[in-house]
Amino acid sequence: NVARALRGDGEIDDWAGLVAQWRQQLHGLAREFCAGVASVTPQRGACHWCELKPFCRVHEAEGNPG
């Protein structure tokens, strides 16, 4: 799942590498979106600053009603 890959496993040594990683991730997300994938996979701590809580499905994915 591309959304999980956004969490990042490795280090990027230069700007070009970072841009290449972003491009790859965005293309993957676009492919998933076009395929109808809508997984709930936020990055750790993302809920703290997110302003879309009324639309969020994170708690449903975790098995908590909210």
Side-chain angles (χ1 to χ4, degrees), residues 1-2 7 9 11 27 35 37 45 48 56 60 66:
N1 184 315
V2 175
R7 293 186 180 126
D9 296 326
E11 294 182 21
H27 284 208
V37 176
H48 178 72
C56 187
E60 292 175 19

Side-chain angles (χ1 to χ4, degrees), residues 11-60:
E11 294 182 21
I12 303 297
D13 293 330
D14 60 5
W15 182 255
L18 182 60
V19 170
Q21 179 183 358
W22 288 343
R23 181 172 287 118
Q24 180 182 10
Q25 291 169 343
L26 287 172
H27 284 208
L29 287 169
R31 281 191 302 275
E32 287 183 358
F33 179 80
C34 289
V37 176
S39 59
V40 179
T41 53
Q43 293 184 8
R44 180 173 293 221
C47 297
H48 178 72
W49 51 263
C50 181
E51 296 181 12
L52 300 175
K53 290 178 178 126
F55 305 105
C56 187
R57 298 177 304 147
V58 170
H59 297 296
E60 292 175 19

